[in-house]
Amino acid sequence: MRRALMMVLCFCLSGAVQAASAQWVDVKRETLTETLRLDGMIEAVRESTVSAQTAGTVVELPYDVDDAVPEGELIVRLEDSDEQARVEQARASLDEARADLTDARQNLGRVEQLHERDVASQQELDQARNRFDAARARVSRAEGALSEAREQLSYTRVHAPYSGIVTERMVEVGESVSPGQPLMRGLSLEQLRVVVSLPQQYAERVRSEREAVVTLNGGAQLETDGMTFYPYADQRSHSFRLRLELADPEARLFPGMLVRVGIPTDTREALWVPESSIYRRGELRAVFVRGPDDEPRLRQVRLGSRRDGLVEVLSGVSEGESVRREALY
């Protein structure tokens, strides 16, 4: 009975010691990377304006602003009766030229046979060959004219160069357009990047280290894939333009959104304690330091950065000291 009582007493004392030691945490020294935080803006890699390549009247606009357009889809159609007529005329000219070529080829064959039997003269053979060469040249010209007519016809149908969103429409159905006139503007959400202005004093480090972290307002980190550093500064702000490619843009990202860009600027040694150990009363910031007799002693501190539930102590404590994990009051 006495032995069992002693075991229980030892167990209780051991638990009390462990509970007491669990109240304290050592002040740790770790490397702190100082980070410059800037506002960056998301922009589309693909953003373009589609313009007319021929004159005509707009007869169809299948898509409007904010519509999603698959790659290759028709976005503008112009009236094409004149172009269709030119294609038919060019096709008829090609058929006629091919018929002349066939006749000239057959005639050349007959004259060559007669010339081999000394029935046709060399002059007649030369004339047959010249006629054949001229007919073949007319076929080439007719094929070129038909290809050009078909190309002009294709200009009356404007297709989306890539999958994206229509951001602006500059024409209406029934409006006459001329070559070079803007028709629609759009962008792709599949390839996005972040653009940020970097102060001049940090330019050299970023150019050499090429490190940056992009995060959303909620704290989610975005994966980047490459950095472009513009080798010139803005004349007014003296800042450098920095561009970060997003490796896998999320569906919730859109051009024009603001994100946070963290640029590592320096590293230094820092002392860290749990943020829960900080005692706050008005402007006072303090911690309870473990004394020689294991009693907590209040000591004022000056705080710095915060990360992952820890807070940097700039002054007031030393490495190796212990502070209460939880402030007393």
Side-chain angles (χ1 to χ4, degrees), residues 25-32 270-278 280 303-313 323 325:
V25 60
D26 293 337
V27 179
K28 295 182 179 180
R29 181 181 296 274
E30 295 181 0
T31 301
L32 169 65
L271 299 177
W272 299 91
V273 298
E275 193 163 3
S276 59
S277 67
I278 304 300
R280 294 175 173 85
L303 306 180
S305 303
R306 288 172 170 79
R307 71 176 188 189
D308 302 329
L310 300 177
V311 60
E312 178 192 10
V313 179
V323 298
R325 188 182 301 274

Side-chain angles (χ1 to χ4, degrees), residues 120-275:
S121 65
Q122 183 64 39
Q123 181 180 3
E124 291 174 327
L125 177 60
D126 293 340
Q127 291 176 346
R129 286 176 177 171
N130 291 338
R131 179 186 172 189
F132 173 75
D133 291 339
R136 186 166 54 184
R138 286 195 294 272
V139 169
S140 297
R141 287 197 300 271
E143 289 175 343
L146 178 59
S147 177
E148 182 180 356
R150 285 173 174 169
E151 185 175 4
Q152 290 296 322
L153 177 61
S154 69
Y155 291 159
T156 64
R157 289 168 170 78
V158 182
H159 299 270
Y162 48 79
S163 299
I165 304 294
V166 178
T167 58
E168 187 177 1
R169 194 181 72 183
M170 294 86 157
V171 293
E172 299 293 339
V173 173
E175 183 177 344
S176 297
V177 299
S178 56
Q181 180 176 341
L183 302 175
M184 279 191 175
R185 185 171 182 81
L187 54 83
S188 173
L189 299 179
E190 296 178 357
Q191 291 180 286
L192 301 176
R193 60 193 177 196
V194 177
V195 178
V196 64
S197 294
L198 181 68
Q200 179 178 338
Q201 61 266 37
Y202 304 106
E204 186 61 32
R205 179 181 175 88
V206 174
R207 186 187 290 112
S208 59
E209 299 296 334
R210 295 189 174 273
E211 295 181 3
V213 177
V214 180
T215 56
L216 297 175
N217 291 334
Q221 184 172 328
L222 303 179
E223 184 179 356
T224 58
D225 184 19
M227 174 188 296
T228 301
F229 188 92
Y230 286 61
Y232 55 87
D234 184 86
Q235 295 182 357
R236 292 175 296 179
S237 64
H238 307 292
S239 61
F240 287 83
R241 183 179 172 90
L242 186 65
R243 193 174 69 194
L244 304 167
E245 307 292 338
L246 294 180
D248 187 19
E250 302 179 9
R252 53 180 172 171
L253 299 180
F254 299 95
M257 291 178 58
L258 290 179
V259 293
R260 303 292 291 175
V261 179
I263 306 292
T265 58
D266 196 10
T267 57
R268 58 182 173 84
E269 295 298 311
L271 299 177
W272 299 91
V273 298
E275 193 163 3

Side-chain angles (χ1 to χ4, degrees), residues 24-132:
W24 304 97
V25 60
D26 293 337
V27 179
K28 295 182 179 180
R29 181 181 296 274
E30 295 181 0
T31 301
L32 169 65
T33 300
E34 294 185 340
T35 302
L36 172 67
R37 302 194 182 278
L38 303 170
D39 287 329
M41 186 177 69
I42 293 178
E43 68 176 20
V45 175
R46 288 184 173 183
E47 184 173 7
S48 57
T49 300
V50 178
S51 302
Q53 293 181 277
T54 187
T57 303
V58 178
V59 295
E60 185 179 359
L61 291 169
Y63 294 93
D64 205 345
V65 176
D66 294 336
D67 287 345
V69 183
E71 180 180 357
E73 283 294 304
L74 178 73
I75 55 177
V76 181
R77 185 169 69 87
L78 305 179
E79 203 279 327
D80 60 0
S81 57
D82 290 343
E83 286 76 11
Q84 290 281 7
R86 293 191 187 97
V87 170
E88 294 301 324
Q89 183 179 1
R91 185 181 290 113
S93 298
L94 177 59
D95 291 341
E96 182 179 357
R98 285 173 174 171
D100 290 343
L101 177 61
T102 300
D103 182 62
R105 183 182 292 110
Q106 293 173 349
N107 181 65
L108 176 60
R110 289 192 296 267
V111 173
E112 287 177 339
Q113 292 177 359
L114 294 175
H115 182 266
E116 291 176 356
R117 298 198 300 267
D118 294 329
V119 176
S121 65
Q122 183 64 39
Q123 181 180 3
E124 291 174 327
L125 177 60
D126 293 340
Q127 291 176 346
R129 286 176 177 171
N130 291 338
R131 179 186 172 189
F132 173 75

